[in-house]
Amino acid sequence: MSQFLQPTILLLREGTDTSQGRAQIVSNINAVQAVADVVKSTLGPRGMDKMIQTGPKVTISNDGATILNLLEVVHPAARVLVDIAKSQDDEVGDGTTSTTLLAAELLKEAKPFIEEGIHPQIVIQGYRKALELALEKLEGFSINIAKDSAQDKRDTLLKCAQTALNSKLLANTKHFFSELVVSAVEKLDPNILDRDLIGIKNVTGGSVTDSFLVDGVAFKKTFSYAGFEQQPKRFENPKICLLNLELELKSEKENAEIRIEKPEEYQSIVDAEWALIYEKLEIIVKAGAQIVLSKLPIGDLATQYFADRNIFCAGRVAQEDLLRVQKATGGQVQTTVNGLNPETFGTCGLFEEVQVGAERYNLFKNCPQSRTATIVLRGGAEQFIQEAERSLNDAIMIVRRCFKANKIVAGGGAIELEISRFLRHYARSVTGKTQYIVNSYAKALEVIPRTIAENAGLNSIEIMNKLRQKHAQGDEEGRWYGVDINGASGVCDTHSSFVWEPTLVKRNALCSATEAACAILSIDETVKNPKSDQDTKMKPKGQPGRPPMGMRR
């Protein structure tokens, strides 16, 4: 009988946890749904905030990417939602919660198909076909603003910024901050629109409406030595010298090795060190610099030297601030003082050091090559200012994308309902399982307006019935109807109400959510291979998996 027994074949390490089949897909869908339920209540203008405590730090936010990142999700399938939220935030800056909810809803709609035995690849194929049709229709519904006048286009950008701020902490002051955001983006090079050239500086204290925009660069006063108080704090049309050079006496000692044979020679070494630092300082002064900024430290000797000659200096300037000063003033960062001349200097209309709250700030205003701007953000609590900064970042990203794309659609769930109506109509023209899957995709799109209505305290069933009726008319007027959180009826023409969003945000959200749903549906097995404690101890540093000498077999 032994010749008929099959030998045991062990492919995986003993203790390895494996899950596979239909139950694995359903388990992944349930995990994704649990994560989406956490951020669901944050969607829309009346969305709620989440307080997340990580050690001593407390974060209050309703930004989907921020919340998911702080949750530290460990489930491998649910981590996909975190990744798509981050990609949405990096790409367009807004719509992270919508993307997360849409992906979870697509999986929720696919769950009955999986449980009934339909192969996941058929669902994936149907979803991708629905996405292709949705993107095609989205482009057809988009409104091109490229041919609008400069003033009309600016008004559109203001409306898009206000729509982005509607669901944020700054919703009550959206008109004030939308003006700051659009003005800041307008300072950038229109061909590049580099986000890093818009600085946001947080200053605790005062009202949020005390925030202001600096047409140029502003940064907090850096660490300074004695003698700084004697330096002038205001210049008109100054010559600005930008350095990546340390102006400290100790640097000469640390960068050289000198051997002496007689004690008398030590004094000559000290004199040489002083001569070197004074030579550098003298070259800077003779070149005509009035403001000296350096990424590296400027010591007490140099600080007093510049103060005696009415020159302002600041050392340890942050890299991003120095880069923005370079862009705004037209200066060039030098790594040596040799060859220093006025052509390498930058300039600005006005430099001054002012008191902002409890901090001192250096302001460079009216720069000739102003391709940068700084928003000085005020507020009471630190958590409030941090959330306000995240809100402004979303609005800035939206305005940048609108600058480039020049296409907008109506928000408030209007475009999702219109695409949903189109997909339902298309589903009637096909047969088989594809009809049900495309219908499910159309139904999943309704999660956006439904959730907006629920979070605003409205009757979501009544609102959805009204919106379906409006969109079913199929005319130009009913196309843009979405959720109205302020009106008595609960629905309105969101295009006429100036609730606008860039088309790029919706396109990226649809693509990311569908790709995430298809990726999770295609996973039918999860293998968890625990690391052995013995193997972990045996691994020497720098050589993972290789036993140390003396322990090899």
Side-chain angles (χ1 to χ4, degrees), residues 249-324:
L249 189 61
K250 67 176 184 179
S251 65
E252 312 303 338
K253 298 179 183 178
E254 293 174 351
N255 295 337
E257 178 183 348
I258 302 175
R259 299 182 181 182
I260 59 175
E261 297 180 355
K262 300 178 182 179
E264 294 79 8
E265 295 178 357
Y266 181 71
Q267 185 60 44
S268 64
I269 296 173
V270 174
D271 293 341
E273 291 174 346
W274 283 77
L276 287 172
I277 185 70
Y278 273 120
E279 181 184 0
K280 292 179 181 179
L281 298 177
E282 187 177 351
I283 291 175
I284 295 173
V285 173
K286 284 186 177 181
Q290 295 173 283
I291 297 175
V292 180
L293 304 179
S294 179
K295 178 184 175 183
L296 299 177
I298 296 178
D300 51 356
L301 174 65
T303 301
Q304 187 64 56
Y305 187 93
F306 288 137
D308 294 340
R309 289 156 181 79
N310 292 325
I311 296 175
F312 176 89
C313 71
R316 296 190 178 96
V317 178
Q319 173 70 25
E320 60 270 17
D321 291 330
L322 197 66
L323 175 62
R324 293 194 298 116

Side-chain angles (χ1 to χ4, degrees), residues 74-86:
V74 295
H75 193 282
R79 284 288 306 174
V80 176
L81 283 193
V82 182
D83 294 338
I84 65 166
K86 186 178 184 302

Side-chain angles (χ1 to χ4, degrees), residues 210-389:
D210 292 335
S211 306
F212 59 92
L213 176 69
V214 178
D215 181 10
V217 184
F219 56 83
K220 186 179 175 182
K221 172 182 170 294
T222 59
F223 177 83
S224 58
Y225 292 91
F228 178 82
E229 294 80 3
Q230 303 169 27
Q231 295 179 354
K233 302 299 189 293
R234 192 177 190 277
F235 289 98
E236 293 184 2
N237 302 313
K239 295 180 180 179
I240 304 172
C241 177
L242 306 176
L243 299 174
N244 186 9
L245 180 67
E246 189 174 5
L247 297 176
E248 279 196 297
L249 189 61
K250 67 176 184 179
S251 65
E252 312 303 338
K253 298 179 183 178
E254 293 174 351
N255 295 337
E257 178 183 348
I258 302 175
R259 299 182 181 182
I260 59 175
E261 297 180 355
K262 300 178 182 179
E264 294 79 8
E265 295 178 357
Y266 181 71
Q267 185 60 44
S268 64
I269 296 173
V270 174
D271 293 341
E273 291 174 346
W274 283 77
L276 287 172
I277 185 70
Y278 273 120
E279 181 184 0
K280 292 179 181 179
L281 298 177
E282 187 177 351
I283 291 175
I284 295 173
V285 173
K286 284 186 177 181
Q290 295 173 283
I291 297 175
V292 180
L293 304 179
S294 179
K295 178 184 175 183
L296 299 177
I298 296 178
D300 51 356
L301 174 65
T303 301
Q304 187 64 56
Y305 187 93
F306 288 137
D308 294 340
R309 289 156 181 79
N310 292 325
I311 296 175
F312 176 89
C313 71
R316 296 190 178 96
V317 178
Q319 173 70 25
E320 60 270 17
D321 291 330
L322 197 66
L323 175 62
R324 293 194 298 116
V325 172
Q326 177 184 355
K327 292 286 186 179
T329 63
Q332 301 174 16
V333 178
Q334 304 293 310
T335 57
T336 177
V337 295
N338 296 327
L340 202 64
N341 58 72
E343 294 181 358
T344 62
F345 293 161
T347 187
C348 64
L350 175 65
F351 165 80
E352 58 182 345
E353 185 178 296
V354 299
Q355 188 79 20
V356 181
E359 307 289 348
R360 299 286 296 177
Y361 266 76
N362 299 324
L363 308 183
F364 297 81
K365 300 179 179 179
N366 304 326
C367 301
Q369 300 183 13
S370 185
R371 296 178 182 176
T372 180
T374 307
I375 298 175
V376 179
L377 189 59
R378 305 296 308 279
E382 182 180 352
Q383 291 87 349
F384 177 89
I385 297 181
Q386 291 174 352
E387 176 63 7
E389 180 181 359

Side-chain angles (χ1 to χ4, degrees), residues 71-284:
L71 286 178
E72 297 182 357
V73 178
V74 295
H75 193 282
R79 284 288 306 174
V80 176
L81 283 193
V82 182
D83 294 338
I84 65 166
K86 186 178 184 302
S87 68
Q88 177 79 5
D89 192 44
D90 293 341
E91 182 67 20
V92 293
D94 198 16
T96 54
T97 306
S98 300
T99 306
T100 304
L101 291 183
L102 188 55
E105 193 70 14
L106 287 172
L107 290 170
K108 181 181 176 181
E109 292 297 325
K111 184 177 177 181
F113 298 129
I114 303 300
E115 292 175 337
E116 290 171 7
I118 296 179
H119 198 280
Q121 289 300 328
I122 297 177
V123 180
I124 292 173
Q125 184 179 1
Y127 275 0
R128 285 177 175 161
K129 178 60 178 178
L131 173 64
E132 180 184 343
L133 295 169
L135 294 179
E136 181 182 342
K137 207 62 180 175
L138 180 65
E139 288 297 321
F141 289 149
S142 300
I143 301 172
N144 197 327
I145 61 172
K147 297 181 180 180
D148 292 354
S149 65
Q151 184 59 44
D152 290 342
K153 188 171 183 178
R154 192 176 195 278
D155 291 340
T156 302
L157 296 175
L158 286 171
K159 299 300 181 184
C160 290
Q162 290 169 17
T163 302
L165 293 172
N166 261 336
S167 60
K168 304 297 181 182
L169 200 62
L170 302 175
N172 293 333
T173 53
K174 62 181 180 180
H175 296 284
F176 174 80
F177 280 102
S178 62
E179 183 66 38
L180 290 186
V181 167
V182 174
S183 298
V185 175
E186 286 177 338
K187 304 296 181 186
L188 302 180
D189 185 342
N191 298 320
I192 303 176
L193 295 176
D194 189 352
R195 167 64 185 89
D196 294 335
L197 295 181
I198 298 179
I200 301 179
K201 302 298 180 181
N202 301 337
V203 183
T204 306
S207 170
V208 69
T209 54
D210 292 335
S211 306
F212 59 92
L213 176 69
V214 178
D215 181 10
V217 184
F219 56 83
K220 186 179 175 182
K221 172 182 170 294
T222 59
F223 177 83
S224 58
Y225 292 91
F228 178 82
E229 294 80 3
Q230 303 169 27
Q231 295 179 354
K233 302 299 189 293
R234 192 177 190 277
F235 289 98
E236 293 184 2
N237 302 313
K239 295 180 180 179
I240 304 172
C241 177
L242 306 176
L243 299 174
N244 186 9
L245 180 67
E246 189 174 5
L247 297 176
E248 279 196 297
L249 189 61
K250 67 176 184 179
S251 65
E252 312 303 338
K253 298 179 183 178
E254 293 174 351
N255 295 337
E257 178 183 348
I258 302 175
R259 299 182 181 182
I260 59 175
E261 297 180 355
K262 300 178 182 179
E264 294 79 8
E265 295 178 357
Y266 181 71
Q267 185 60 44
S268 64
I269 296 173
V270 174
D271 293 341
E273 291 174 346
W274 283 77
L276 287 172
I277 185 70
Y278 273 120
E279 181 184 0
K280 292 179 181 179
L281 298 177
E282 187 177 351
I283 291 175
I284 295 173

Side-chain angles (χ1 to χ4, degrees), residues 458-469:
L458 303 176
N459 187 334
S460 59
I461 298 177
E462 180 184 350
I463 297 299
M464 292 303 296
N465 287 335
K466 289 182 179 179
L467 290 176
R468 291 192 190 103
Q469 182 182 4

Side-chain angles (χ1 to χ4, degrees), residues 1-135:
M1 294 293 293
S2 59
Q3 60 180 341
F4 298 106
L5 296 177
Q6 295 294 329
T8 302
I9 300 175
L10 183 64
L11 294 178
L12 303 175
R13 187 195 301 270
E14 184 178 356
T16 300
D17 180 23
T18 61
S19 302
Q20 60 184 344
R22 188 185 310 165
Q24 175 62 65
I25 300 176
V26 173
S27 175
N28 288 341
I29 293 175
N30 292 336
V32 169
Q33 195 64 43
V35 173
D37 288 342
V38 175
V39 297
K40 187 174 183 179
S41 62
T42 66
L43 183 69
R46 295 291 184 266
M48 304 297 288
D49 293 343
K50 305 293 180 184
M51 178 183 290
I52 303 172
Q53 182 176 357
T54 52
K57 184 180 179 182
V58 176
T59 303
I60 301 174
S61 177
N62 70 350
D63 180 68
T66 302
I67 295 171
L68 291 176
N69 190 47
L70 292 175
L71 286 178
E72 297 182 357
V73 178
V74 295
H75 193 282
R79 284 288 306 174
V80 176
L81 283 193
V82 182
D83 294 338
I84 65 166
K86 186 178 184 302
S87 68
Q88 177 79 5
D89 192 44
D90 293 341
E91 182 67 20
V92 293
D94 198 16
T96 54
T97 306
S98 300
T99 306
T100 304
L101 291 183
L102 188 55
E105 193 70 14
L106 287 172
L107 290 170
K108 181 181 176 181
E109 292 297 325
K111 184 177 177 181
F113 298 129
I114 303 300
E115 292 175 337
E116 290 171 7
I118 296 179
H119 198 280
Q121 289 300 328
I122 297 177
V123 180
I124 292 173
Q125 184 179 1
Y127 275 0
R128 285 177 175 161
K129 178 60 178 178
L131 173 64
E132 180 184 343
L133 295 169
L135 294 179

